[in-house]
Amino acid sequence: MRALFTILLMITAMNCYLFAFSGGTGTSQDPFQVSDVDELQSIIDYPDSYFIQITDIDASSTASWNSGEGFMSLSDYDTPFTGSYDGNGYSIDGLTINRSGGIFQSLFGFMSGAEISNVTLTDVSIIGGGFIGGLAGYCESSDVIGCSSQGSVTGINSIGGLMGEVSGSTSVSRCFSSGTVEGTVQIGGLIGSYSSSIALTDCYSISDVTTTGSDPNIGGLIGLLIGDVQRCYSAGSVTVTTNSGGAIGYKQSGTVTDSFWDVETSGQSTSAGGVGKTTAEMQTKSTYTSANWDFAGEIANGVEDIWAINPNSYPHFFESLQSPVLSTVRDIPGDQGHQVELVWLASENEAGYSLDYFYSVWRLVEDTRSVNTNSVIDGLSSEIDDYTGLILHQRDDYWTFLTMVPAMMFDQYSVIVPTLVDSCATMNEEEYSSTYMVCFHHDTGIYMSEDVSGYSVDNIAPYATSDVTLTVGGRTENCTLYWSEVTEGEYNGNSYPEQNGLFYRVYAGDSPDFECNVSSLLGTTQELSMDIDTNESMKFFKVVVSDQP
């Protein structure tokens, strides 16, 4: 009889797991599967188990839970969360907590020895007292990677957009916050207080930080720092009643390396760590690659491809390449203008060679009045047989089809396409820039790249200058070649002077009809003369003008 009773208890326990979650047994090999907000709240009863989120979760209903106090933090000081939660890239939207006097108010109130990864919190509304954050109020000796929080976080002390306070041997990397953060003491856009023995790496905050207190530990990234920070940035506003920091409010100890803050958007000219940059500099890739940041498309700083950046924006984390990444729009050296080379990183959805997989290349229409409404399509379809002449209406803009490139399982593709216009000295850059987009077509869908702009320099055909003369110095073999400056002219509508200046290439040979090639090139200069050390085989000289070195 006792054996039967034990079996019934085991079955009851198993059924409890099945009802609490969508699947799994809570082990590292078979984590509990979380698919809705009720299952998310149930984690509070299993603080040492393993979890994985299997879909986006709508948590907006929590605003009315518990008489308006909202969601119950999944752990606290007495019962910390010590397990593992993998957000799996899915979002938790609209999580609400409203306990103005409470401590450890967050998704996870108190974590210790936990593993948290890939959690995406959107439109959170968290109100508490102390140790308040979107993801965690207090975090010690845990691993946090690939997590983000967007929304409003408000409290009094140790308040952060992502986490309130971090301590111990906690590792935090590839995380970010956005929205608003408000408090009084130790307030940071990302983390209120960071006193960890492991450096905070590859993180950022674009949260706006506000305080009415007089505590100096207020920063766009971290309020109080007792540790190290590497390759991080902040770009939100920092509104304080006393001096504080654009990135770091107060640094008690530690180092801040290869990190930046926006002096314009923050309103702060100083910081306890990091380098202040203008908005334009913060939105320039070279600012970061020169500081050893690992960007997709380059290998000098590593091959993990942690970061990516779009035009006129701040860096963001590089995601799986479902969409192609249009990385380069560059001028074609030595051509006659009106064309550029596009370079993009391939979509990871290329699963094999197939006629159904290809890339289409589009250019932004210059004037929407020229669009033939009969040719406009609202969205791309894999069933379209002929894209020639099509105008795509997408992202509130009109795009004209340029060409198609087969998917060949390459890591990177390039194609030469025409520009709208070519540059000249009488035009501003915005007048001659062209904007492009690349789409990957797959049987599961169509994936669009971000827009990237570029322009063609006024490339000209090689020109020979006039009045080439040779002056010999005494009876030596040394002489000087002189020529006249090319100052004006026109080739296919492209006018001089060139934006990047003209280059003169000097060639020499032993007959009048010698070929101008690499072997006969003496050198390149932007001057109007060149000193030459002659020899018996050099009797004839030619000077060629180009817009490229």
Side-chain angles (χ1 to χ4, degrees), residues 339-467:
Q339 57 184 7
V340 291
E341 181 183 27
L342 306 184
V343 180
W344 67 89
L345 302 178
S347 166
E348 290 183 355
N349 283 349
E350 282 193 44
Y353 301 102
S354 171
L355 295 177
D356 296 328
Y357 303 161
F358 63 91
Y359 295 90
S360 62
V361 182
W362 305 79
R363 186 185 65 213
L364 189 65
V365 174
E366 180 180 23
D367 188 347
T368 57
R369 292 174 298 181
S370 65
V371 174
N372 181 353
T373 56
N374 294 328
S375 65
V376 174
I377 54 176
D378 289 329
L380 291 176
S381 170
S382 58
E383 298 177 358
I384 298 177
D385 295 326
D386 184 9
Y387 285 79
T388 304
L390 288 179
I391 299 292
L392 170 65
H393 185 199
Q394 194 68 243
R395 303 176 184 172
D396 295 326
D397 289 314
Y398 291 92
W399 303 81
T400 183
F401 172 77
L402 296 180
T403 189
M404 190 177 294
V405 178
M408 299 296 292
M409 296 294 291
F410 297 148
D411 293 332
Q412 181 173 285
Y413 292 84
S414 67
V415 67
I416 295 176
V417 294
T419 59
L420 285 166
V421 295
D422 207 15
S423 64
C424 73
T426 60
M427 300 171 66
N428 296 319
E429 182 176 332
E430 60 269 18
E431 296 180 274
Y432 53 74
S433 290
S434 297
T435 302
Y436 300 90
M437 172 179 67
V438 176
C439 299
F440 176 61
H441 300 250
H442 189 273
D443 53 10
T444 61
I446 296 172
Y447 305 90
M448 299 181 177
S449 75
E450 297 290 339
D451 313 343
V452 177
S453 298
Y455 59 90
S456 170
V457 179
D458 269 344
N459 295 305
I460 60 173
Y463 268 70
T465 186
S466 60
D467 301 327

Side-chain angles (χ1 to χ4, degrees), residues 26 98 121 137 184 189 233 251 273-274 313 336 349 372 386 394 430 438 446 449 470 491 514 535:
N98 185 12
L121 292 161
T184 305
Y233 79 84
K251 180 169 68 70
S313 65
Q336 280 70 56
N349 283 349
N372 181 353
D386 184 9
Q394 194 68 243
E430 60 269 18
V438 176
I446 296 172
S449 75
L470 185 68
Y491 184 84
F514 77 90
N535 56 55

